[in-house]
């Protein structure tokens, strides 16, 4: 295994618990896809990791032990991850959740999700992709009950984004359950699967009645999962807005799967900022508004970035919110801290009085590195507005 000597500042960073390696940590290193042993300048062994560029960082520190990234190693960490999730495995009202979450489960660069009897692996860099034989072999040992798996390629350089990985195929869309609600998913069609599993506690709050008897507007709705959860929890009407045409049929499928007719559930294909204008022109207003934009989006008309523009969403939403309404403000932007996100929200509220009702981060199946705030990337606030 190649040996790499770390500068003391990098050593400090690792000791503090931030385990992603960055380009600036290694001014002179040739980047390559391999496991490495890390040493301090004084020659002390620090641990094992690997180098491989990905969307964030150029590799991962994995463990303070000397290890080989072989089948035995992965069997051990998959087994530990499985043990942490017994409550999910036993809950027959939820059949889709995360089985393995990067460094939170002891190995950065890979996630594995369960969708009913199937698994979806996401590879975030070329090194973990090289290891896929050993990792899938280990996974099959630990999860013999999984019938088949797909893979998502989340790094640059390969042609395909999604492929069948092993076992039985499930090419047709099918239903999974979460908090007793059915969602239609597809496992081999681009990077997305029809549902973002990290939001299951927020959807759970809607199933539990946060919007009972109320009207809900779901902005950046994708497959309208928040709207369906709200409808299950007794919302009387929902409107879901997304720019992508395909969101319409996928959203309808979620509603139909739960026995709803579409009379009280509108699906609108429109830019959210245009929808604000449309709603104001038509005098539309809502009791609950969900805001869950992508971290960054560029379309023909505008660029939207959560870090700079979220306050505009809040200010616009306030104009079409009913008195004593509720905003659910969400972001998954890892580069924005919880504190800075809250500042952005406060900027949007201005002088409007409001109270924070509850706050969410990643749920327990999305185990994250407790010492590195950026790995708990999901930030959601439920806020009651007094006006
Ligand atoms: N809230 C969703 C996930 C949102 S993903 C859920 O819980 O499942 C982000 C979505 O925003 C994508 O579906 C994308 O099509 C949509 N989008 C991006 N920019 C938009 C815009 N300006 N107006 C409306 N939708 C937009």
């Amino acid at each position: 295994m190649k040996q790499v000597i770390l500068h003391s500042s990098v050593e400090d960073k690792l000791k503090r618990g931030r385990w992603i390696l960055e380009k600036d940590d290694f001014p002179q290193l040739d980047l390559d896809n391999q496991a490495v042993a890390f040493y301090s300048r004084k020659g002390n062994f620090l641990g094992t990791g690997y180098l491989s560029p990905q969307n964030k960082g150029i590799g991962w520190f994995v463990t303070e032990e000397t290890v080989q990234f072989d089948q035995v190693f992965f069997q051990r960490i998959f087994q530990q991850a499985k043990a942490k999730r017994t409550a999910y495995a036993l809950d027959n009202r939820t059949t889709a959740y995360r089985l393995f979450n990067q460094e939170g489960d002891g190995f950065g660069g890979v996630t594995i999700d369960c969708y009913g009897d199937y698994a979806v692996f996401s590879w975030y860099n070329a090194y973990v992709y090289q290891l896929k034989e050993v990792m899938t072999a280990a996974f099959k040992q630990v999860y013999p009950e999984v019938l088949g798996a797909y893979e998502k390629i989340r790094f640059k350089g390969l042609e395909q984004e999604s492929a069948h990985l092993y076992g039985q195929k499930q090419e047709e869309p099918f239903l999974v359950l979460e908090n007793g609600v059915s969602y239609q998913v597809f496992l081999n069609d681009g990077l997305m699967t029809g549902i973002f599993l990290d939001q299951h506690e927020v959807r759970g709050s809607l199933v539990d009645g946060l919007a009972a008897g109320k009207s809900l507007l779901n902005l950046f709705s994708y497959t309208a999962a928040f709207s369906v959860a709200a409808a299950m929890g007794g919302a009387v009407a929902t409107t879901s807005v997304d720019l992508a045409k395909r969101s319409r049929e996928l959203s309808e499928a979620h509603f139909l799967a739960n026995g709803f007719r579409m009379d009280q559930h509108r699906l609108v294909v429109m830019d959210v900022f245009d929808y604000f204008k449309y709603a104001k022109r038509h005098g539309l207003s809502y009791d609950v508004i969900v805001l869950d934009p992508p971290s960054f989006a560029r379309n023909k008309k505008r660029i939207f970035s959560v870090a700079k523009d979220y306050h505009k969403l809040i200010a616009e939403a306030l104009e079409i919110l009913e008195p004593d309404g509720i905003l659910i403000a969400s972001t998954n932007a890892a580069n924005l801290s919880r504190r800075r996100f809250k500042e952005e929200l406060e900027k949007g509220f201005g002088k409007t009085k409001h109270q924070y009702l509850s706050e969410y981060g990643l749920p327990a199946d999305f185990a994250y590195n407790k010492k590195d705030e950026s790995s708990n990337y999901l930030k959601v606030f439920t806020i009651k507005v007094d006006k």
Side-chain angles (χ1 to χ4, degrees):
M1 204 182 284
K2 194 164 149 186
Q3 299 188 357
V4 173
I5 295 170
L6 294 178
H7 191 272
S8 54
S9 64
V10 186
E11 204 184 322
D12 287 347
K13 176 181 108 165
L14 296 181
K15 292 230 166 83
R16 282 198 310 275
R18 186 164 160 82
W19 283 15
I20 185 145
L21 303 168
E22 284 140 318
K23 207 164 191 304
D24 296 345
D25 295 344
F26 305 96
Q28 261 136 37
L29 195 71
D30 288 338
L31 302 182
D32 48 11
N33 295 317
Q34 61 179 287
V36 287
F38 294 110
Y39 286 84
S40 72
R41 287 204 152 176
K42 290 187 189 136
N44 296 325
F45 174 72
L46 296 171
T48 318
Y50 69 86
L51 297 171
S52 188
Q54 58 170 67
N55 64 339
K56 48 170 190 174
I58 56 148
W60 289 93
F61 183 85
V62 173
T63 166
E64 286 164 349
E65 294 162 30
T66 304
V67 292
Q68 298 292 327
F69 298 135
D70 55 12
Q71 191 175 329
V72 175
F73 170 79
F74 287 110
Q75 255 169 255
R76 175 160 62 88
I77 60 174
F78 289 161
Q79 195 63 58
Q80 286 164 354
K82 189 176 193 183
K84 279 192 227 167
R85 292 164 174 81
T86 357
Y88 290 87
L90 292 174
D91 175 2
N92 54 19
R93 290 163 45 84
T94 296
T95 62
Y97 58 96
R98 180 148 293 188
L99 298 174
F100 188 86
N101 195 40
Q102 304 227 39
E103 82 266 40
D105 282 307
F107 194 81
V110 188
T111 65
I112 309 171
D113 294 323
C114 151
Y115 289 88
D117 295 327
Y118 292 82
V120 174
F121 288 64
S122 289
W123 314 115
Y124 283 84
N125 60 60
Y127 178 67
V128 294
Y129 188 71
Q130 282 170 29
L131 287 180
K132 74 174 177 176
E133 300 290 324
V134 274
M135 269 197 248
T136 46
F139 184 80
K140 285 185 200 169
Q141 289 292 321
V142 177
Y143 290 94
E145 65 274 29
V146 170
L147 300 180
Y150 289 85
E151 61 180 348
K152 306 293 176 192
I153 289 109
R154 295 181 181 272
F155 59 93
K156 293 196 187 83
L158 294 190
E159 222 164 79
Q160 83 274 26
E161 292 188 316
S162 176
H164 177 249
L165 181 60
Y166 78 81
Q168 290 184 31
K169 291 188 175 177
Q170 175 58 284
E171 302 284 8
E172 296 296 314
F174 65 103
L175 299 179
V176 292
L177 276 178
E178 180 197 85
N179 307 310
V181 184
S182 294
Y183 296 97
Q184 177 189 272
V185 297
F186 36 91
L187 302 187
N188 198 14
D189 187 357
L191 291 177
M192 314 237 263
T193 58
I195 188 162
F196 287 100
L197 296 176
D198 53 3
Q199 293 279 12
H200 67 80
E201 290 180 348
V202 184
R203 284 188 294 267
S205 73
L206 291 163
V207 175
D208 289 344
L210 182 68
K214 297 178 175 170
S215 62
L216 174 132
L217 174 64
N218 180 5
L219 299 173
F220 307 94
S221 57
Y222 180 42
T223 60
F226 286 124
S227 312
V228 178
M232 287 297 274
V236 288
T238 70
T239 300
S240 305
V241 181
D242 198 289
L243 197 54
K245 285 199 185 68
R246 194 169 172 230
S247 65
R248 213 169 210 294
E249 63 181 277
L250 298 176
S251 302
E252 188 162 342
H254 280 339
F255 278 106
L256 298 182
N258 291 285
F260 291 107
R261 289 183 317 179
M262 297 308 291
D263 326 17
Q264 298 304 321
H265 302 291
R266 289 191 63 205
L267 305 173
V268 181
V269 176
M270 200 186 281
D271 182 297
V272 157
F273 287 93
D274 290 336
Y275 190 77
F276 285 128
K277 288 188 206 135
Y278 172 91
K280 281 186 263 181
R281 221 171 36 234
H282 290 82
L284 302 174
S285 56
Y286 305 88
D287 299 315
V288 181
I289 302 180
V290 183
L291 300 162
D292 182 32
S295 303
F296 186 83
R298 186 198 301 265
N299 64 35
K300 277 174 236 141
K301 288 190 196 158
R302 59 176 65 84
I303 296 178
F304 174 88
S305 108
V306 160
K308 291 207 193 91
D309 303 313
Y310 208 107
H311 68 99
K312 296 179 195 158
L313 285 179
I314 298 287
E316 290 277 6
L318 288 176
E319 290 193 43
I320 56 170
L321 189 71
E322 282 283 322
D324 293 325
I326 289 174
L327 293 184
I328 301 178
S330 168
T331 181
N332 61 4
N335 61 351
L336 188 71
S337 70
R338 194 164 275 271
R339 185 180 55 77
R340 282 205 30 234
F341 181 47
K342 218 166 172 179
E343 282 168 11
E344 200 39 48
L345 299 180
E346 288 303 319
K347 185 171 169 191
F349 281 113
K351 292 200 165 58
T352 306
K353 280 206 184 133
H354 55 283
Q355 319 161 34
Y356 288 83
L357 298 182
S358 39
E359 150 171 8
Y360 301 85
L362 288 174
D365 52 330
F366 281 68
Y368 58 89
N369 176 359
K370 297 277 184 306
K371 292 183 178 162
D372 181 0
E373 197 209 353
S374 70
S375 72
N376 185 10
Y377 59 83
L378 184 71
K379 295 162 275 282
V380 186
F381 292 98
T382 304
I383 309 157
K384 186 165 176 299
V385 179
D386 310 315
K387 63 162 192 182

